[in-house]
Amino acid sequence: MEAGPNHCRKLVLHLDVNNTVFIGDSITKSVTPEETLNEYLSENAWGTIDEGGNWKSADEMCLKPPSDKMISYYKFAEAKYQGKPRSEFKKHVRSFTDNEMFRPFRKFYDQMIGALEFPGDIKTANGVQLPSFKDKQGVPYHKIVPSFYELLGNLRKSKRDFAIVYRTFGSDGQAVLQVTKDLLSEGHVAFYNPQDTTGSGDPVGNQGHEVLFTNGTIMRSNGQITVKCPENNRKLTNLSDIYKYFSQANGIKLFVEDYDWWKSQNFHSSAGKPLLVDPTDDAVHHIMFDDNFRPWEPEDSIVNTLQATKDGSFVSVDPATFEDVCVVKADLYQSICNRNYFIEKIRQCERNYSKFIAGSKNC
């Protein structure tokens, strides 16, 4: 990151894994590039329902509904397939742009698939094997979004104090930990350019950013959050202690979240992944990226934002309060096609966080 007024703050990145850093999801068996990208596009293609009950495309592709009257094709199809096997619905949306009706969205698919294709061997110049998956013709593609490699290289070059906390419901966290370790370890490249057939990059030292492969857990129940620390299995339940733990985190860690609790609460944001924020602590900036963050729809969102109060307690706040300040809805299209996506979003969050803190002090 470029030096600036926010540069002195420690950066703690809370990164979702699936469709934020790692493309697809091994658990749901979405294993081909075609299926994964088509499902993503169906979630971000917007339209309206006409009098006949048909979905009419507005040819809009964006993360948020352009208006209250619009619905994504994914949500429309999900309702249409209600009562049928879930597998039939998934098969349908995973062939989204194959349908002639949705051809206007094919250009986005082509851009994404082109940015993911390997130009040669599935490894860096130093022989690091990178996660990949193959299409129906056997062509290999990256399973890690290109902008993530760029982010790692940029963080190391910046020499700023940072930590990365992977937070997932799935089982792909270990694969992301391994590639992070490989790319940050001494003698390996800082990042890999999918479009660079030489796989060139500057060797970097480890600089103390240890990758911890023992995962921690974040469990939830009525009125309580329990963090099990991966270093020593210590359990934290006091929210101030949990905030301090993540603020003081070093290196790269993985936490498995409580999917069963989120599901039991009908996927409401208040039961989702907790993110604790203390605007009075000017030494650290927590930023979470998650593709299931929907601040406009908290009843179907994944991030539970909790803000510190003057008495030291933490209370849930409107998720929109920290949108693009401490929480970002991860954009798979941008993270694949724009190599600076993570870097640019972090800079935006840092600018907005400085404004937020300044505003809080004036209250």
Side-chain angles (χ1 to χ4, degrees), residues 1 33 62 65 68 102 114 143 157 176 188 207 218 224 226 236 249 252 265 268 309 340:
M1 310 294 157
C62 52
D68 294 339
F102 308 129
K143 224 172 187 341
K157 290 176 183 177
V176 176
H188 289 125
Q207 297 181 5
I218 301 177
Q224 183 165 299
T226 301
L236 305 175
I252 321 295
Q265 303 303 305
H268 197 280
T309 62
N340 291 317

Side-chain angles (χ1 to χ4, degrees), residues 282-330:
D282 203 28
V284 63
H285 186 184
H286 293 268
I287 303 177
M288 178 181 281
F289 284 81
D290 198 302
D291 65 303
N292 282 311
F293 173 56
R294 302 180 186 90
W296 68 90
E297 194 177 11
E299 66 275 10
D300 185 21
S301 186
I302 204 167
V303 182
N304 178 205
T305 48
L306 298 110
Q307 182 176 343
T309 62
K310 292 182 179 179
D311 65 4
S313 61
F314 284 82
V315 296
S316 291
V317 295
D318 183 351
T321 303
F322 289 108
E323 182 182 8
D324 288 337
V325 177
C326 293
V327 194
V328 177
K329 178 171 174 56

Side-chain angles (χ1 to χ4, degrees), residues 71-142:
I71 182 174
S72 70
Y73 184 76
Y74 183 95
K75 288 289 187 181
F76 169 79
E78 189 174 37
K80 282 288 187 180
Y81 276 81
Q82 192 169 9
K84 298 180 180 180
R86 183 77 174 173
S87 59
E88 291 185 16
F89 158 66
K90 286 292 188 176
K91 182 179 179 181
H92 175 70
V93 294
R94 288 173 183 169
S95 60
F96 177 64
T97 61
D98 294 336
N99 189 315
E100 191 64 34
M101 184 187 306
F102 308 129
R103 280 292 169 175
F105 298 98
R106 187 70 183 187
K107 62 183 178 183
F108 300 110
Y109 173 90
D110 291 339
Q111 291 169 5
M112 295 168 79
I113 204 74
L116 291 175
E117 186 172 357
F118 274 97
D121 291 338
I122 308 175
K123 57 188 177 183
T124 68
N126 289 24
V128 175
Q129 194 76 18
L130 299 176
S132 65
F133 54 170
K134 295 181 179 181
D135 67 8
K136 295 173 183 177
Q137 286 71 45
V139 177
Y141 294 87
H142 281 276

Side-chain angles (χ1 to χ4, degrees), residues 263-277:
K263 181 180 179 180
S264 73
Q265 303 303 305
N266 297 315
F267 305 106
H268 197 280
S269 61
S270 61
K273 300 178 182 180
L275 180 70
L276 280 64
V277 178

Side-chain angles (χ1 to χ4, degrees), residues 89-279:
F89 158 66
K90 286 292 188 176
K91 182 179 179 181
H92 175 70
V93 294
R94 288 173 183 169
S95 60
F96 177 64
T97 61
D98 294 336
N99 189 315
E100 191 64 34
M101 184 187 306
F102 308 129
R103 280 292 169 175
F105 298 98
R106 187 70 183 187
K107 62 183 178 183
F108 300 110
Y109 173 90
D110 291 339
Q111 291 169 5
M112 295 168 79
I113 204 74
L116 291 175
E117 186 172 357
F118 274 97
D121 291 338
I122 308 175
K123 57 188 177 183
T124 68
N126 289 24
V128 175
Q129 194 76 18
L130 299 176
S132 65
F133 54 170
K134 295 181 179 181
D135 67 8
K136 295 173 183 177
Q137 286 71 45
V139 177
Y141 294 87
H142 281 276
K143 224 172 187 341
I144 301 288
V145 296
S147 57
F148 176 70
Y149 296 125
E150 196 77 26
L151 171 65
L152 288 182
N154 191 280
L155 284 171
R156 300 311 300 269
K157 290 176 183 177
S158 72
K159 301 187 184 301
R160 72 180 300 175
D161 190 7
F162 74 92
I164 296 177
V165 182
Y166 294 115
R167 301 178 57 174
T168 182
F169 289 135
S171 61
D172 296 308
Q174 290 292 327
V176 176
L177 281 176
Q178 185 61 56
V179 75
T180 304
K181 179 179 185 296
D182 289 340
L183 295 176
L184 291 181
S185 295
E186 186 172 358
H188 289 125
V189 295
F191 64 92
Y192 178 72
N193 183 350
Q195 306 304 323
D196 180 0
T197 56
T198 65
S200 60
D202 297 326
V204 294
N206 193 29
Q207 297 181 5
H209 288 93
E210 179 185 2
V211 179
L212 190 63
F213 281 89
T214 301
N215 62 270
T217 59
I218 301 177
M219 304 302 291
R220 304 204 60 163
S221 59
N222 283 320
Q224 183 165 299
I225 298 170
T226 301
V227 172
K228 182 180 178 182
C229 306
E231 302 89 347
N232 50 22
N233 291 328
R234 184 165 60 109
K235 292 184 178 181
L236 305 175
T237 56
N238 180 279
L239 294 184
S240 293
D241 291 339
I242 293 172
Y243 174 79
K244 290 177 183 177
Y245 170 77
F246 284 113
S247 296
Q248 296 170 1
N250 292 306
I252 321 295
K253 306 179 191 297
L254 168 67
F255 284 82
V256 177
E257 307 265 351
D258 195 347
Y259 176 80
D260 289 339
W261 177 255
W262 187 47
K263 181 180 179 180
S264 73
Q265 303 303 305
N266 297 315
F267 305 106
H268 197 280
S269 61
S270 61
K273 300 178 182 180
L275 180 70
L276 280 64
V277 178
D278 183 0

